[in-house]
Amino acid sequence: MLPAELIRFKEIGRSITILTAWDSLSSAIVEAAGADVVLVGDSLAMVALGHATTLPVTLDEILHHTKAVCRGFTRPLSEQPMVVCDLPFLSYQCGEDKAVAAAGHLLKNSCAAAVKLEGAEPEVLAVIERLVRMGIPVMGHLGLTPQSVHCLGYRRQAEDKNSQQNILFQSLKLEEAGCFALVLEHVPSDLAGRLRKKLKIPVIGIGAGEDCDGQVRVTADLIGLTSKQPPFSKPLISGRQLFVKALQDWIKQQHPQAKTPTKAISQQGSDY
Ligand code: KIV
């Protein structure tokens, strides 16, 4: 699928679904479920690599996991979901040349067809313009941008009029710079609705309400595998408990005399 197809989906009112994957098992599941786009998000730092934030994940780790995601697909190439990779922290903040090299490295060595990056500061806009000119499609990301966790925390963004105006302005700048879609994270839903109407490119929400052109979720949150889920990403099933119980039952069968651990693994509170 080409980025233009997602813009066409918006035009015809067909909702877009994006799910994350981090390895070949998860990408096979997400492909089978029918997601339009698979995002190899830098959330894999927390979901799969055990980091406390998204900041530590490296470009080579994103590439390593993207290659695994690509190997997990089972459909013919033309029917596979589009793969978008996050550009990790510091791979695009240190100049346009470095950003082109980083994004090009991902697209050259995996099946990824686009990159996502956070923010809309003048330096980021210049990077996006350059990437798009070089033939690298870019998805933007505004609102709660986890790479800025040390400035923003994990709080809901754009609660006041000024910051809403700022996001509106930034989103128009991202569209002008050539982004083919915009992820909007953890902002009031009426702001998402206003953006959806103003922009020609699809607005993909996460914690931004229903009035969006599509939704993106961290798959591990949605299936309850992570120990903490943000309030806007309620799990559909309690994956962790289901898996632990199934494995406990199997272990019990192997040696029935052993005691089952009393403290079952539990979902914890959220940082959001
Ligand atoms: O890294 C990620 O998974 C993301 C989504 C939350 C949109 O950026």
Side-chain angles (χ1 to χ4, degrees):
M1 185 186 306
L2 291 173
E5 185 76 354
L6 297 182
I7 297 174
R8 198 182 66 83
F9 283 172
K10 173 174 178 134
E11 286 164 4
I12 63 171
R14 169 10 184 116
S15 179
I16 297 162
T17 51
I18 306 185
L19 288 170
T20 65
W22 55 93
D23 61 9
S24 54
L25 273 178
S26 56
S27 68
I29 291 169
V30 161
E31 181 197 40
D36 298 311
V37 177
V38 169
L39 173 67
V40 185
D42 58 5
S43 58
L44 80 82
M46 301 162 83
V47 167
L49 303 179
H51 292 297
T53 71
T54 60
L55 302 194
V57 71
T58 66
L59 186 67
D60 281 337
E61 285 168 337
I62 293 275
L63 177 60
H64 177 76
H65 284 264
T66 305
K67 285 178 169 175
V69 162
C70 298
R71 288 192 291 267
F73 295 140
T74 58
R75 293 191 193 151
L77 197 62
S78 62
E79 292 168 32
Q80 288 174 13
M82 176 183 181
V83 174
V84 180
C85 287
D86 262 341
L87 281 181
F89 183 58
L90 286 196
S91 68
Y92 60 95
Q93 289 90 341
C94 305
E96 294 166 40
D97 288 348
K98 261 191 97 174
V100 173
H105 188 57
L106 294 174
L107 266 60
K108 197 177 168 78
N109 295 295
S110 78
C111 71
V115 295
K116 176 166 80 59
L117 47 77
E118 298 180 4
E121 298 68 24
E123 298 84 352
V124 175
L125 293 171
V127 161
I128 294 170
E129 279 171 9
R130 174 87 175 272
L131 289 172
V132 174
R133 269 208 315 279
M134 295 300 111
I136 301 173
V138 180
M139 184 180 272
H141 186 155
L142 291 177
L144 172 56
T145 45
Q147 290 181 14
S148 304
V149 59
H150 296 305
C151 290
L152 305 179
Y154 287 118
R155 278 188 308 278
R156 191 159 92 133
Q157 300 298 304
E159 301 272 28
D160 61 274
K161 255 204 160 111
N162 275 350
S163 43
Q164 295 189 357
Q165 271 309 113
N166 190 36
I167 288 198
L168 230 115
F169 175 76
Q170 288 185 324
S171 67
L172 289 166
K173 286 281 172 203
L174 287 176
E175 180 170 272
E176 206 178 290
C179 284
F180 68 91
L182 171 65
V183 167
L184 197 56
E185 181 167 353
H186 212 10
V187 297
S189 54
D190 57 326
L191 175 64
R194 279 162 66 203
L195 256 65
R196 186 181 71 73
K197 286 187 194 81
K198 273 237 178 303
L199 299 181
K200 291 186 191 70
I201 59 172
V203 173
I204 312 293
I206 174 165
E210 294 303 308
D211 196 4
C212 298
D213 301 302
Q215 297 288 333
V216 54
R217 292 292 183 276
V218 173
T219 301
D221 285 339
L222 219 48
I223 58 179
L225 286 186
T226 42
S227 61
K228 306 171 180 182
Q229 289 92 24
F232 50 78
S233 199
K234 298 271 184 256
L236 303 170
I237 53 168
S238 302
R240 252 169 113 93
Q241 276 102 331
L242 287 172
F243 288 171
V244 170
K245 174 76 174 60
L247 295 174
Q248 279 176 342
D249 289 349
W250 179 81
I251 288 169
K252 239 191 263 169
Q253 280 167 17
Q254 308 314 305
H255 33 240
Q257 73 285 3
K259 284 193 190 129
T260 306
T262 44
K263 194 174 175 301
I265 199 155
S266 64
Q267 310 298 109
Q268 294 162 14
S270 153
D271 288 338
Y272 283 75

